[in-house]
Amino acid sequence: EYMGGTFCSTLAMSLLPSSAVVLVESVPSGHPTNEHFRIEKSEVSPELKEGEILVQLLAISADPYQRGTIKPGGINKPGNPLRGFVAGKVLKSQNPAWVEGDLIGTILPYQTVQVVSAEALASSTNWKLTDLIDESQITLGIGILGMPGATAYGGLVHVLEPNSSSVLFVSAAAGAVGSLVGQLAKRLYGCTVIGSAGGPEKCRLIKEKFGFDYAIDYKTVNTAEELAAEIRKVSPGGIDLYFENVGGIHYEAAMLTLKQYGRIAVCGAISNYNNEQPGVASFNIQQVIYKSLRIEGFLSSTYLGPKHQKQFLDTMSGLLKEGKIIAEETEFVGVESWPTAFQSLFVGQNVGKVVVKV
């Protein structure tokens, strides 16, 4: 393919093969399966207009929030390539902000080679990975240096605002976000961290690898009261902070154990994602008033956006380089493996960030 000279001259000469993950039909409830997606092959012209860039995707993300995007009325429509977080390489550029060879993190359709317009770049969240990692570490661009990293960083540092005396409870502690929240809480603040994870293997992992102080196997409890009792076993006085990834009994157990002036950062509620209608959490207003609780939702885009992006990327890449945080990944290879990677999120098969290397 490259015998005709440089990569650039090859690009100028021929159409480039591309593969996309396309949604076949919306999935109102239940677990998505391979039948809901197909891989569509096409060819892309490398010719660029002013402001455009040609991008080759090197890593595409599978994230729990995407479950909502493939329900009827979701942003991902049947017949179109799925959109989500990606990391890739700029093959060619007519845009002054990007040069050939740059590594980019952004939100794009899951199409392995594509032309991105100036308008699409301007309206999307983009972050430059070029000086932070090399191509062999590209999956970090959709992990620690991408949406999960920004979620963990923003929710912990800006929403929960811990200190060294804080007791923090984290649900889905072995997942992409939860595993980072625990590590950041220990490394940046020296908090006491309690994690909830499914099964003895994940519980061992969050203590031994991620440095959590305590691990609770949620598969051994059936009710919020039982989970609250497990929290009190390791922290009799209760908890100061809760990082919410799950909903359901985890949220209720946190409400039962929060101390005065307790805070909850609401990031997600994966226990409800496969239901047709989102679950409704019980909400004890008296408890919120008399305990002076604060419950705050937030989005990763705030911390990937211009105001916080540099501080987030500098903090996380610095901790990474110093070996103070560990990137745990469940890796799938090839764009055609994305549907399987996505399904792994909902059956507890993944540890850390689910990534698809293209």
Side-chain angles (χ1 to χ4, degrees):
E1 189 182 346
Y2 302 130
M3 288 175 71
T6 66
F7 193 40
C8 273
S9 65
T10 309
L11 282 180
M13 287 166 15
S14 57
L15 295 173
L16 301 171
S18 184
S19 298
V21 183
V22 173
L23 181 64
V24 174
E25 58 181 350
S26 297
V27 192
S29 63
H31 289 279
T33 67
N34 286 358
E35 287 69 53
H36 293 117
F37 309 97
R38 69 169 184 266
I39 305 300
E40 210 167 81
K41 296 190 182 302
S42 62
E43 291 186 319
V44 174
S45 167
E47 296 306 312
L48 300 181
K49 299 192 195 72
E50 188 65 33
E52 292 181 335
I53 61 173
L54 180 68
V55 175
Q56 178 182 7
L57 304 190
L58 299 173
I60 61 178
S61 192
D63 296 301
Y65 84 88
Q66 291 176 300
R67 182 63 190 84
T69 73
I70 61 170
K71 289 183 177 180
I75 59 163
N76 280 311
K77 307 293 182 202
N80 291 334
L82 289 168
R83 282 180 67 82
F85 288 92
V86 299
K89 185 178 183 176
V90 177
L91 298 181
K92 221 175 145 186
S93 175
Q94 289 290 335
N95 187 304
W98 298 92
V99 298
E100 184 188 322
D102 266 341
L103 300 179
I104 182 174
T106 185
I107 301 167
L108 284 175
Y110 285 172
Q111 184 172 341
T112 53
V113 177
Q114 59 188 290
V115 173
V116 186
S117 69
E119 297 73 37
L121 282 168
S123 65
S124 185
T125 303
N126 316 298
W127 55 104
K128 195 168 283 199
L129 298 163
T130 312
D131 298 324
L132 304 176
I133 54 174
D134 61 39
E135 212 173 301
S136 70
Q137 304 166 294
I138 195 67
T139 52
L140 295 174
I142 52 171
I144 287 180
L145 303 179
M147 182 274 286
T151 306
Y153 169 85
L156 185 73
V157 175
H158 291 275
V159 179
L160 291 179
E161 300 175 313
N163 59 48
S164 60
S165 65
S166 302
V167 178
L168 166 69
F169 177 47
V170 183
S171 54
V177 173
S179 61
L180 288 177
V181 172
Q183 290 183 76
L184 289 174
K186 295 303 294 180
R187 297 288 181 269
L188 296 178
Y189 302 100
C191 300
T192 299
V193 185
I194 307 164
S196 168
E201 194 54 40
K202 286 185 179 180
C203 285
R204 188 182 62 75
L205 178 85
I206 66 172
K207 285 174 73 175
E208 291 180 8
K209 194 163 189 179
F210 303 141
F212 283 67
D213 297 287
Y214 304 104
I216 295 170
D217 181 355
Y218 71 79
K219 292 186 175 177
T220 64
V221 300
N222 297 306
T223 65
E225 289 71 24
E226 287 176 11
L227 183 52
E230 291 298 315
I231 293 169
R232 289 197 187 279
K233 268 185 204 169
V234 297
S235 184
I239 60 174
D240 299 290
L241 310 170
Y242 173 47
F243 197 104
E244 168 68 295
N245 288 311
V246 173
I249 68 167
H250 281 81
Y251 166 80
E252 291 169 25
M255 290 297 280
L256 290 170
T257 51
L258 274 166
K259 299 178 194 174
Q260 197 77 11
Y261 306 110
R263 296 191 291 283
I264 301 180
V266 185
C267 159
I270 194 171
S271 65
N272 291 315
Y273 286 177
N274 283 313
N275 302 338
E276 196 157 354
Q277 296 298 324
V280 179
S282 60
F283 189 75
N284 184 329
I285 291 177
Q286 296 294 98
Q287 194 180 13
V288 173
I289 295 168
Y290 288 107
K291 278 191 175 178
S292 304
L293 304 181
R294 194 178 94 207
I295 302 170
E296 186 175 336
F298 68 101
L299 294 169
S300 65
S301 52
T302 305
Y303 305 99
L304 280 172
K307 187 178 175 189
H308 296 285
Q309 188 183 96
K310 186 180 186 313
Q311 188 190 11
F312 153 64
L313 289 172
D314 287 352
T315 301
M316 297 301 268
S317 61
L319 289 168
L320 205 53
K321 285 192 176 85
E322 292 163 23
K324 288 185 175 170
I325 50 174
I326 296 161
E328 185 74 24
E329 294 179 340
T330 299
E331 188 180 290
F332 294 79
V333 178
V335 67
E336 63 287 343
S337 70
W338 188 87
T340 309
F342 185 52
Q343 291 163 64
S344 77
L345 294 165
F346 301 101
V347 289
Q349 284 175 348
N350 68 300
V351 173
K353 177 76 191 87
V354 174
V355 299
V356 178
K357 284 188 99 164
V358 180

